[in-house]
Amino acid sequence: MYTFSNKLKTFSFILMILGALGVGYGFMTSHKSFEEVETLLAEESHHGGGHAAEASHGAASHDAHAVDNGHGEEAHAEVDEHKEHIEHVQHQIANRPWSALYVAAFFFMMIGLGVLAFYAIQIASQAGWSPVLFRVMEGITAYVLPGALIVLAIAVASGTIGHYNLFVWMDPEVVAHDKLLQGKSGWLSLPWFTIRGLIFIAGWSLYRHFARKFSIAQDTAEDQSNFKKSFRIAAAFLVFFIYSESIMSWDWIMSVDPHWFSTLFGWYVFASMFVSGITVIALITIYLKSRNYLPFVNENHLHDVAKFMFAFSIFWTYLWFSQFMLIWYSNIPEEVTYFISRFNDYQLPFLGMVVMNFVFPILLLMNADYKRIPWFVVMAGLVILFGHYIDIFNMIMPATVGDRWFIGIPEISSILLFAGLFIFVVFTALTKAPLLVKGYPFRKESEDFHY
Amino acid sequence: METSKVIHAIYTDDDVLMSAVKKVKAERYHIEEIYTPFPVHGLDKAMGLAPTRIAIAAFMYGLVGLTVATVMMNFIMIEDWPQNIGGKPSFSYIENMPAFVPIMFELTVFFAAHLMVITFYLRSRMWPFKEAENPDPRTTDDHFLMEIAVDGNEEALENLLKDTGAVEINLIDKAH
């Protein structure tokens, strides 16, 4: 049995408290008045910021308005433009702590969900190498229920208690002036969005609940009936998962840009969650092994997990590139704006994540010997995880905060908050059952696994 | 013509062969060659053979392929005749790179795969019309053959091999 060390528990609490403080700070400092934003923009124009032209244009129009009333209409239009611009920036600044929280919440949720899918695949494919890691995976998937509820709660709260800080389609004012959003309102409506989210979370959590239950029951069972049941529900879950995951990614991520759509988006998000999940399995396995809780796990198991990290990093890149290249190549205006805003305002994160999610893993994890060295896998894993955080960041932020992004206190605090929660939930779940599946039919094969 | 003597010990089971290899190695005899009808898992380790470096070769061939693709398309599409084809930006390689990636990928794989296979053929001396070096046709079907150099110790070696479960032991004069 694993015991949650007090040190780690304290560490997770410290992360949560620090994170909560930072998130609170982020929300407190994000409500800027119209005048504050106006001076901010004026200051930025003095420093030669990106808004120099617009801001000076705004100032000039004020003067014109004051001097010459004869050109009232024209000047009014310019004043309106100036006002609109400031309100736009004001909204972006207010969106930042919401988006930071949402990105971090989604990132940790998707780790849990990715591991759940991986776990179901291992059972449905009757893998012989992985059963010694099942309890680690079950521990990680304990985060799916709280994590997914938090993501949905943030999404709904942004449209109810917030000022539509994540999803513009939740704003009836916006929809009233937008033909495209009216056309999509059959799907993108707050009640239906919430119900869909709850159905998905219920499906994932039910599978997780029963898979865990059968897995523990199999430990003491005389026959294989629990194994057979868990096999059957794994197969059923995988069918449910691929539909629900796809729709979830439209709802929770793609709809932040409600004018844009992409067909392989669900797969793309799936690749991101799958590789992050596998990486976390490797990291937690290495951690527990270093504490001598997993004597039956050897470097061959690590080698296999690292191979999955390697292969799915490339799979992610394949989907990322396929989506990018098809849109870049045909250059249809209604699609390509998605990448133009990312390429202009997010150049470093947008290209940096390709380096972290592709170039690093392919060079670090190609050598078979390196895949067996724990510290090497940890290093590669941290790069991959950070890269996929940036990936989610790149999906959400351009739609909500635009060029007002920065990885500062709101973002880092949100990561700390959910990292603390994740560690607490996962390691608490790990203490609930022995770390080796006892009665699982492939246990022996897995213990003797050798590559 | 100089002749040297070798012993051919024949086995009918791969597990017996594996334990025989370990025993022969432990007695510090030099195994010249082993002929098997199919890959025997772990045999190379038991024999103490050096690991293959063909994967390293393949990686470098892949880099060659990537370079060939890049240099080729940079010359053709950007330097030699930078024509406007459907509005694609042919001002620099990097601006037009997404369009080149499929070819860069395929040529990397092509070079890595084919040159690695050719390397394998050369290193293992395999080509059409090559004369087969099979000492006993049965080793292509269901027999395993271990060839050990004899150095005036025939009897001790023969006894050792008998103990390891060899079904047949032949002393062969090998012409060089």
Side-chain angles (χ1 to χ4, degrees):
Chain A
M1 286 294 260
Y2 171 70
T3 44
F4 197 168
S5 78
N6 272 327
K7 251 192 205 160
L8 191 64
K9 202 178 260 175
T10 320
F11 178 64
S12 73
F13 281 124
I14 291 174
L15 286 182
M16 279 191 266
I17 292 165
L18 276 180
L21 287 175
V23 169
Y25 170 81
F27 275 101
M28 268 153 51
T29 51
S30 67
H31 291 290
K32 299 232 187 292
S33 67
F34 188 86
E35 286 73 27
E36 279 174 320
V37 178
E38 200 165 26
T39 40
L40 182 89
L41 289 177
E43 263 171 39
E44 276 178 356
S45 70
H46 278 302
H47 294 297
H51 287 273
E54 288 149 291
S56 64
H57 176 68
S61 71
H62 264 308
D63 295 344
H65 186 60
V67 173
D68 187 3
N69 280 322
H71 289 288
E73 217 162 281
E74 202 176 298
H76 263 305
E78 282 184 15
V79 169
D80 279 351
E81 205 176 283
H82 174 61
K83 188 165 164 272
E84 249 171 44
H85 174 60
I86 287 182
E87 273 168 358
H88 176 64
V89 173
Q90 193 183 6
H91 193 60
Q92 286 182 333
I93 292 173
N95 287 348
R96 193 174 149 201
W98 282 98
S99 313
L101 199 64
Y102 190 69
V103 170
F106 187 88
F107 176 68
F108 283 98
M109 184 284 290
M110 92 176 179
I111 290 173
L113 193 56
V115 172
L116 190 65
F118 188 70
Y119 176 74
I121 288 172
Q122 297 303 306
I123 289 179
S125 64
Q126 306 196 352
W129 68 277
S130 54
V132 293
L133 301 175
F134 276 180
R135 284 289 144 84
V136 175
M137 299 183 206
E138 286 166 16
I140 299 170
T141 55
Y143 188 74
V144 169
L145 178 60
L149 283 176
I150 290 170
V151 173
L152 188 64
I154 297 173
V156 172
S158 80
T160 49
I161 61 170
H163 295 275
Y164 315 108
N165 301 80
L166 292 170
F167 303 95
V168 287
W169 56 262
M170 286 181 183
D171 189 347
E173 189 85 0
V174 171
V175 177
H177 297 97
D178 193 323
K179 269 258 160 70
L180 277 171
L181 290 189
Q182 285 162 18
K184 292 182 183 184
S185 61
W187 182 266
L188 293 178
S189 72
L190 194 52
W192 183 207
F193 173 87
T194 317
I195 292 167
R196 277 196 309 267
L198 289 175
I199 291 171
F200 301 152
I201 296 171
W204 305 333
S205 311
L206 277 176
Y207 168 68
R208 197 269 164 187
H209 173 77
F210 283 107
R212 171 76 162 180
K213 191 177 142 196
F214 294 146
S215 169
I216 287 173
Q218 184 66 55
D219 277 2
T220 50
E222 308 267 295
D223 58 4
Q224 305 292 335
S225 61
N226 291 294
F227 160 70
K228 284 179 190 158
K229 277 189 243 167
S230 86
F231 174 78
R232 263 183 238 128
I233 60 168
F237 167 73
L238 285 170
V239 175
F240 174 77
F241 173 78
I242 203 60
Y243 284 101
S244 59
E245 188 275 336
S246 196
I247 298 171
M248 177 276 286
S249 67
W250 310 335
D251 276 358
W252 296 2
I253 294 191
M254 200 160 79
S255 78
V256 294
D257 286 294
H259 287 176
W260 180 80
F261 49 83
S262 163
T263 32
L264 63 68
F265 199 76
W267 275 110
Y268 173 56
V269 174
F270 167 76
S272 209
M273 70 168 56
F274 209 55
V275 70
S276 314
I278 293 165
T279 305
V280 171
I281 294 174
L283 295 183
I284 291 184
T285 305
I286 292 170
Y287 170 78
L288 291 175
K289 175 133 182 84
S290 74
R291 293 281 182 279
N292 283 325
Y293 284 112
L294 300 173
F296 39 83
V297 172
N298 58 42
E299 59 188 19
N300 297 298
H301 300 105
L302 183 64
H303 189 158
D304 262 29
V305 179
K307 273 192 276 188
F308 269 106
M309 287 163 61
F310 175 73
F312 277 92
S313 287
I314 293 169
F315 180 65
W316 174 88
T317 315
Y318 167 61
L319 293 178
W320 171 81
F321 183 71
S322 302
Q323 177 168 280
F324 171 71
M325 195 260 245
L326 285 181
I327 290 175
W328 172 85
Y329 215 120
S330 58
N331 205 17
I332 300 171
E334 68 201 50
E335 289 180 345
V336 85
T337 49
Y338 184 83
F339 283 111
I340 285 180
S341 63
R342 275 154 187 80
F343 213 82
N344 288 342
D345 301 332
Y346 289 75
Q347 200 152 37
L348 180 67
F350 186 73
L351 297 173
M353 81 176 171
V354 183
V355 175
M356 284 192 287
N357 292 341
F358 175 64
V359 181
F360 267 89
I362 202 173
L363 293 177
L364 293 181
L365 293 176
M366 190 181 299
N367 191 317
D369 295 332
Y370 294 169
K371 289 200 265 278
R372 309 175 85 91
I373 306 172
W375 67 266
F376 216 92
V377 176
V378 170
M379 286 299 145
L382 291 177
V383 173
I384 291 174
L385 280 185
F386 192 61
H388 284 281
Y389 171 78
I390 298 290
D391 187 17
I392 306 299
F393 187 86
N394 276 328
M395 293 179 193
I396 302 287
M397 287 291 180
T400 53
V401 303
D403 59 352
R404 301 256 137 211
W405 70 273
F406 192 69
I407 299 195
I409 291 175
E411 286 78 11
I412 294 171
S413 312
S414 306
I415 297 174
L416 296 183
L417 173 65
F418 288 108
L421 186 67
F422 183 82
I423 293 174
F424 182 73
V425 171
V426 169
F427 283 87
T428 306
L430 284 171
T431 61
K432 299 271 168 66
L435 286 177
L436 179 61
V437 282
K438 265 237 179 70
Y440 194 77
F442 296 104
R443 189 203 75 181
K444 184 84 179 83
E445 182 182 341
S446 179
E447 278 181 294
D448 296 341
F449 175 67
H450 155 87
Y451 172 74
Chain B
M1 205 202 289
E2 202 186 345
T3 61
S4 63
K5 286 184 173 170
V6 293
I7 278 185
H8 282 175
I10 294 177
Y11 299 86
T12 49
D13 186 275
D14 49 340
D15 286 337
V16 178
L17 175 77
M18 280 293 283
S19 62
V21 169
K22 283 171 194 155
K23 261 187 211 157
V24 172
K25 287 296 279 188
E27 296 284 330
R28 305 201 152 277
Y29 285 106
H30 177 68
I31 299 174
E32 301 244 307
E33 194 63 86
I34 293 180
Y35 298 86
T36 63
F38 52 79
V40 178
H41 190 71
L43 186 59
D44 52 338
K45 276 217 179 96
M47 286 171 74
L49 298 182
T52 174
R53 290 168 296 181
I54 202 157
I56 299 168
F59 179 73
M60 292 191 290
Y61 296 145
L63 293 182
V64 172
L66 186 61
T67 312
V68 167
T70 310
V71 170
M72 175 184 78
M73 287 183 293
N74 185 48
F75 176 72
I76 297 173
M77 302 300 290
I78 309 296
E79 283 173 9
D80 190 36
W81 196 354
Q83 204 182 192
N84 183 343
I85 302 165
K88 276 200 297 128
S90 49
F91 309 109
S92 72
Y93 192 77
I94 199 76
E95 275 177 283
N96 212 352
M97 201 191 67
F100 300 145
V101 166
I103 296 151
M104 289 156 72
F105 170 78
E106 294 294 349
L107 277 187
T108 306
V109 174
F110 180 86
F111 272 64
H114 288 83
L115 291 180
M116 178 178 78
V117 168
I118 292 167
T119 306
F120 169 74
Y121 286 155
L122 292 176
R123 289 291 288 137
S124 46
R125 323 191 121 268
M126 277 162 62
W127 50 83
F129 312 113
K130 150 110 179 175
E131 205 174 323
E133 293 167 354
N134 199 331
D136 190 326
R138 288 175 299 169
T139 62
T140 62
D141 182 14
D142 60 350
H143 284 64
F144 302 81
L145 189 151
M146 192 195 307
E147 183 178 292
I148 304 165
V150 175
D151 195 16
N153 51 1
E154 286 167 40
E155 209 148 313
L157 184 52
E158 271 183 37
N159 287 335
L160 172 72
L161 290 172
K162 265 201 194 108
D163 284 347
T164 60
V167 294
E168 198 178 311
I169 297 170
N170 307 320
L171 189 64
I172 309 273
D173 279 328
K174 207 176 184 185
H176 282 282

